[in-house]
Amino acid sequence: MTTAAPMPVPFPFAAIAGQPHLRQALLLAAVDPGLGGVLIEGPRGTAKTTAARALAELLPGAPFVTLPLGASLESLVGTLDLGQALAGHELKFAPGLLARAHGGVLYVDEINLLPDALIDSLLDAAASGVNVVERDGISHRHAARFVLVGTMNPEEGTLRPQLLDRFGLCVQLRNIGDAAERQAIVRARLAFDADPQGFRTKHVQEEAELAAALVRARALVADAAALPYGDAVHEAVGALCIEAGVDGLRADLVMLRSARALAAWEGSAAITTDHVQRVAEAVLLHRRKPEAEAAAPAPAPRAAKPDGSSNGKDEANSAGDEDWGAMPPEPVGIERVKPLRPLIDRTQAAPKKA
């Protein structure tokens, strides 16, 4: 008889360092799962999976479900239980991964490599909190309220804009360039690997405080009368979305919900424009139009020399500021080509008519 291998001990969320934007986005999605999940872009080894597993531990009794790349649509949404159908001649629903993830975290690594049909069903359930199955003679619906966390490496392909827009928040991670910060993160990871339980014991109090704060924030968000906001908040949201050139109104709605989740997390009495500004980038990062990025203010011109003259080198490179990849034309040699012989010898006289 074989025994199941023990699950690895998760790294404590409170000990994750060097990724403040990732921490905030995950906590906001945990406060309000209706935001539509978090898409994490970044290179390998930037704590994407570690943070998702750690978040599930903060939610009381929350499962952590992983969607493998080779999963089928039936295994995700559920389908007909063939065993029951064949044995008892009755139709019975066999729940899928969406049902198992209810109340917890559904993690999808390399989500950009999944078929579009799976991503559509995944995002529909994440935004609505309900999974509806109409197939194989089955008409079934069940609650599927979970925190969706998807990761992707842009070097391996991107998602279609229609799918990107369905994600509530997006975080773009980069390699840490500060030497001291890198050393601190590596030391913490080595300490955890050497003694996981001892390392977790040092962060028990912080973990308990985060879990309690999540419970309070979730209760506050569930209260429709709590956290009011005025016209200034609406104006700030509208201005930011117009400036980013987003399509539709989903960005406006997600930004308001994200600002409300942040206010609830911080225990504020109302939503302010400061809350809007602090969540705006995570809402707009994957929705911003390229032309909106190109319309960003140009850098200030170079300062002149103290004597009022400009730098000759800067003047020579002024055109290069607009097209830094441009190169001057170079002469191209012409090779002599052997002349073609005509099919008809025009030197011969044409025959005279009779």
Side-chain angles (χ1 to χ4, degrees), residues 14-69:
I16 296 176
Q19 304 292 2
H21 300 296
L22 174 61
R23 284 171 52 98
Q24 175 176 289
L26 290 176
L27 288 172
L28 294 182
V31 171
D32 184 4
L35 289 176
V38 181
L39 177 64
I40 309 172
E41 299 181 7
R44 296 172 295 274
T46 49
K48 299 188 293 291
T49 307
T50 299
R53 288 186 179 277
L55 179 68
E57 196 178 25
L58 295 179
L59 305 174
F64 181 84
V65 178
T66 300
L67 176 63
L69 284 179

Side-chain angles (χ1 to χ4, degrees), residues 19 39 61 80 111 120 156 162 181 192 196 236 240 284 297 301 348:
Q19 304 292 2
L39 177 64
L80 178 68
I111 193 171
D120 280 330
E156 300 173 354
Q162 295 87 341
E181 192 171 11
F192 172 77
L240 288 168
L284 300 175
Q348 297 179 0

Side-chain angles (χ1 to χ4, degrees), residues 24 40 43 85 108 262 273 290 316 319 342:
Q24 175 176 289
I40 309 172
V108 188
L262 180 59
T273 56

